[in-house]
Amino acid sequence: LRGERGRPRVTREVVAQYAADGHLAILLGADSSVGQACHRRRPDLAAAELRWWHHEVGATVYVEICSHLEATGAIRSSAAAARLLQMARDTGTTAVLTNAVRYPAPEQAPVADVLDAVRRLVPISRRHLDRSNAQGYLKGWPELRGVADEIVAMAGGAAVERARLLADTIALAESCALDPIADVGLGDIHVPELAVVAAGSRAERAGDVRSVLAGYESRRRPQARIDQEARHAHDLLSARCNRELDRRRVTSAAAAQRLAAELAVIADLGFAGYFLTVVEVVDLIRDMGVRVAARGSGAGSLVNYLLGISGVDPIRHNLLMERFLSPLRRSLPDIDVDVESARRTEVYERILARFGGERCTCVSMRDTYRVRHAIRDVGAALGMSPGDVDAFAKAFPHIRAAQVREALTELPEVRASEIGRRAATGELEVFLDLVTALDGLPRHIAVHPCGVLLSDATMLDRTPVEASWQGFPMSQFDKDDVEALGFLKLDVLGIRMQSAMQYAVAEIGRVDGQQVVLDEIPLDDPDTFALIGSTRTLGCFQIESPGQRELLGKFGPRTFDDIIIDISLFRPGPVK
C-alpha cells in the first residue's frame, strides 16, 4: 500500500479487515462517502454504503453528526447534519455527535488556514479556505448540547432522540479511553520476544525467523509468560558472560565480583532481554563485515565488554557501571553504536529485515517552526512579495518564532531593517501575530539520524508508523516519546572515520598485499605519539579541531590514557 507520503492508500476493505474484531470504531461523517451522498440528496447511495459497512464490520459502525453552524447548503451545516441523522435513523445505525475539531480555540482558525495554504502551496483565498466560520474548535459539552438541539429539531426528532444521541456519544468516548499502563504500556519496557532474539542471524540465513515471528500472531502475551521469558533471558545472559570470562582466562576476584554485581542489577531491573537484543544487533553488524564500536557510558559495563558490545575493559580503566546502569533508574539504558557511515543505510535495512516491520522501526524527529521558516511560510500564505519575504527572514538571527516582536524591539540591526521599519508603522500586525502563532508547531517530520526502535509484537499497538522519504518505516514519536513508552531505542551512528579506516585497510591490502587488523595495533607506538604531539592531526578523529591541535601541542600526550583524558575533558561541559 505504499505511495506518495501524505496521501493515504488505505482502502475501505483494509479498514474493515481491522475493524471486524471490534477493536476499531468506524465513524462515517460529512466527508465520508455516506456523508457526500447525503449532501448530494442521494439517500439510496448513502444507504447502500452503510449496508456494506454493516455487513463487513457490524455494530462498530457509527454515523458521525457534526454541524459548524454554516449556511444551509454547506456540507457542515445543521441541515446536512440533519439529513445524516435521518439516514442513521432509517438504517438503524448508531449516531454520535462530534465537532470535527481543527484547533483548540476559535481565535486559532487563521493559523489553520495558514497551515492549509502552506501544505497546498497556494496563497490564502476564499476558494482555498476549508471553513466559512471559526466553529471548528474544541467545544464544551454545554455548547454541543445546543448544536444537538438544532440538528435533532431539523431532523424532526424529539427530546428523547437528542438524549440518545448524547448518551451514545458519551458511551463511544468512554470506550475509546486508553489506559496509560494496560493499553499504552507506560512504566513498562517492551523488547523483542526471547524466541525472536534467540533465533539469531543463523536462523535468518536459514529462513527460519519468519516462522518464529509467526508464532506471536496474537501479539499480546500474558504477564506470566513475559516473566518466564525474563527469567530465561537472564539465565542465558549470565551463562554467556561467565563463558566469556572463562574464555579470556580472567580469574581475578574483582572481575567475578563486578560481573555478579552487574548481573544482579540487571536481574532486579528485568533488563536481560535488552542486552541480548543489543548484542544480537551488534553481532548482526559484524557478520556484515562492517566496523562497529560502542560509545558513551556503556563502556563502563563489564557485561557490555564480555558480550562484545564494547571493546573497552572497564576494570582495567577503572570505569563505573552506575553512570550507565543503576537500580535508581528504571528506564532502559542507552547504548550508542558507531558504524561505517558509507554502510549505515545497509545496516538499517539488515536490522529491519532481521526483526521485521512489526517489531522494528526508525525513530523520527520533528522540525518545528522557528522565526525564519515561520516568516517564509506565513509570507507565502498571505501572498506577499517573495523578495520582501526573503529579506524579512534574513533580517532575523536563528531564534524562536515567539521572539519575533522581542527581536524587533531589542535588536538594533533588526529594528533598522525593512521589516523593522514597516513593523513600526503597525502595518504588519496580522503577519507578526501569525508568525508568533506558528512557534513550536511541527513543520516537517524526518528519520532521526541514528535512532532505531526495537520492541515486541505490540509495537504497532503503541506507535503510529509511516514511510520516510527513503521508504524506511518511521515511528511518528520522537526519541523522548519512545523512551517514555519503554521501547528499546538503539542509536546506530554513521561515522565517517570508521569508513575511512575500513577503506584505508582495504587499500593497504590491495596495494601492498598486507592485511592490517586495526584492533591488534599496539597502543604505545612512539611514532604515532610523535605525530600527535606535532599537532599535525587534521583528519584524525576527535583531535583535529583548531582547539584540540593547540592543546595537543601544549599537553604532549605520551600514552593512550593521556589521549583519553584529552578527549574526555575537551567537551562543552567539562572544558568550562
Side-chain angles (χ1 to χ4, degrees):
L1 293 174
R2 274 185 49 194
E4 181 182 349
R5 274 191 69 192
R7 190 181 299 276
R9 292 287 301 277
V10 175
T11 64
R12 68 176 189 173
E13 286 76 17
V14 171
V15 174
Q17 174 188 343
Y18 283 91
D21 61 2
H23 296 301
L24 189 65
I26 308 297
L27 272 65
L28 302 172
D31 296 316
S32 70
S33 55
V34 174
Q36 295 285 349
C38 283
H39 186 60
R40 297 196 310 270
R41 304 295 207 281
R42 290 297 306 272
D44 54 329
L45 296 180
E49 184 73 6
L50 269 174
R51 281 195 298 271
W52 184 90
W53 281 105
H54 278 297
H55 179 266
E56 295 296 325
V57 176
T60 57
V61 175
Y62 299 84
V63 170
E64 177 190 357
I65 309 300
C66 169
S67 171
H68 285 173
L69 307 179
E70 295 179 337
T72 301
I75 196 167
R76 284 197 171 84
S77 65
S78 295
R83 286 193 293 274
L84 264 176
L85 182 58
Q86 180 65 48
M87 176 56 58
R89 185 190 300 156
D90 293 344
T91 57
T93 309
T94 303
V96 293
L97 182 68
T98 79
N99 201 48
V101 176
R102 286 292 312 279
Y103 29 86
E107 58 270 19
Q108 292 173 307
V111 181
D113 295 339
V114 169
L115 294 174
D116 287 341
V118 169
R119 186 177 73 252
R120 295 167 180 162
L121 300 177
V122 296
I124 294 175
S125 66
R126 186 170 296 278
R127 70 178 183 275
H128 293 143
L129 288 178
D130 292 337
R131 64 183 182 90
S132 60
N133 56 36
Q135 290 291 316
Y137 65 95
L138 188 60
K139 292 182 177 178
W141 201 234
E143 294 172 286
L144 284 176
R145 280 200 184 95
V147 174
D149 285 340
E150 180 172 318
I151 295 172
V152 172
M154 295 185 78
V160 65
E161 187 169 14
R162 189 207 73 159
R164 185 167 62 249
L165 174 63
L166 299 179
D168 289 339
T169 301
I170 293 172
L172 176 60
E174 289 176 345
S175 72
C176 291
L178 292 176
D179 186 303
I181 297 175
D183 296 319
V184 182
L186 289 177
D188 205 348
I189 61 171
H190 311 283
V191 298
E193 299 89 346
L194 182 59
V196 175
V197 176
S201 50
R202 288 193 188 89
E204 181 196 11
R205 286 193 293 271
D208 295 336
V209 167
R210 289 294 107 191
S211 62
V212 173
L213 300 184
Y216 287 97
E217 296 264 332
S218 61
R219 302 200 308 272
R220 302 237 170 185
R221 294 166 290 160
Q223 188 60 45
R225 183 173 179 182
I226 294 175
D227 294 340
Q228 181 185 16
E229 284 190 15
R231 290 190 293 271
H232 188 194
H234 192 267
D235 292 341
L236 292 176
L237 179 67
S238 300
R240 180 164 176 171
C241 289
N242 281 294
R243 278 199 310 271
E244 187 61 23
L245 209 62
D246 293 339
R247 189 186 71 80
R248 299 184 188 218
R249 294 187 173 87
V250 178
T251 57
S252 68
Q257 292 171 1
R258 174 69 172 266
L259 178 59
E262 289 195 18
L263 289 173
V265 171
I266 293 170
D268 178 53
L269 295 172
F271 287 173
Y274 166 84
F275 285 91
L276 292 177
T277 304
V278 174
V279 73
E280 172 66 16
V281 172
V282 171
D283 289 346
L284 190 74
I285 297 171
R286 286 203 178 98
D287 287 346
M288 297 169 61
V290 176
R291 286 193 56 79
V292 56
R295 69 158 73 194
S297 60
S301 166
L302 181 61
V303 168
N304 280 340
Y305 177 61
L306 294 175
L307 292 175
I309 296 171
S310 167
V312 178
D313 184 346
I315 294 180
R316 176 189 165 198
H317 294 284
N318 196 27
L319 300 178
L320 297 175
M321 182 268 291
E322 286 76 10
R323 184 164 170 256
F324 166 69
L325 188 66
S326 167
L328 301 178
R329 294 192 307 273
R330 306 299 300 188
S331 58
L332 287 172
D334 189 23
I335 295 179
D336 297 341
V337 176
D338 293 351
V339 300
E340 302 169 37
S341 60
R343 300 186 66 184
R344 183 169 66 96
T345 300
E346 186 183 341
V347 169
Y348 274 22
E349 291 170 347
R350 181 61 68 86
I351 296 173
L352 286 164
R354 167 65 178 84
F355 289 94
E358 305 84 7
R359 292 170 174 81
C360 181
T361 184
C362 296
V363 181
S364 69
M365 61 178 184
R366 292 193 182 274
D367 176 22
T368 56
Y369 273 103
R370 295 177 68 81
V371 71
R372 291 190 174 188
H373 278 152
I375 287 174
R376 293 186 187 280
D377 283 356
V378 171
L382 296 182
M384 297 171 65
S385 161
D388 286 347
V389 172
D390 185 60
F392 288 178
K394 289 179 178 177
F396 287 87
H398 296 283
I399 57 176
R400 293 188 57 170
Q403 298 173 302
V404 63
R405 293 184 187 274
E406 182 183 346
L408 285 166
T409 303
E410 298 185 2
L411 298 180
E413 64 274 22
V414 178
R415 201 164 54 238
S417 67
E418 176 66 18
I419 188 174
R421 290 192 293 270
R422 291 175 61 176
T425 68
E427 66 175 286
L428 297 178
E429 287 303 302
V430 172
F431 172 78
L432 295 175
D433 285 343
L434 290 171
V435 168
T436 302
L438 291 184
D439 179 69
L441 292 179
R443 183 174 185 269
H444 179 65
I445 185 172
V447 173
H448 189 276
C450 53
V452 176
L453 186 157
L454 293 162
S455 179
D456 58 16
T458 65
M459 183 189 75
L460 297 180
D461 294 345
R462 306 179 194 280
T463 174
V465 173
E466 66 173 278
S468 72
W469 180 79
Q470 289 183 300
F472 286 113
M474 176 177 64
S475 167
Q476 292 180 0
F477 294 147
D478 66 15
K479 61 183 181 64
D480 298 319
D481 295 331
V482 297
E483 289 179 358
L485 287 166
F487 291 130
L488 190 165
K489 181 178 75 69
L490 184 64
D491 286 338
V492 181
L493 298 94
I495 303 298
R496 286 178 294 177
M497 185 53 64
Q498 290 278 23
S499 289
M501 291 191 296
Q502 189 79 325
Y503 176 77
V505 168
E507 285 298 285
I508 291 170
R510 183 182 67 84
V511 175
D512 300 331
Q514 181 180 355
Q515 298 302 316
V516 176
V517 181
L518 289 174
D519 295 331
E520 296 178 2
I521 291 177
L523 301 181
D524 57 356
D525 178 54
D527 291 341
T528 302
F529 285 103
L531 172 64
I532 293 172
S534 73
T535 73
R536 291 179 290 142
T537 56
L538 278 175
C540 296
F541 185 52
Q542 291 196 328
I543 56 172
E544 60 180 326
S545 69
Q548 269 285 18
R549 297 202 305 272
E550 180 184 359
L551 178 59
L552 290 171
K554 296 176 180 178
F555 182 28
R558 291 289 179 267
T559 67
F560 195 73
D561 284 347
D562 290 342
I563 298 176
I564 293 173
I565 292 169
D566 172 280
I567 293 173
S568 299
L569 294 179
F570 201 89
R571 295 169 56 228
V575 77
K576 293 181 179 179

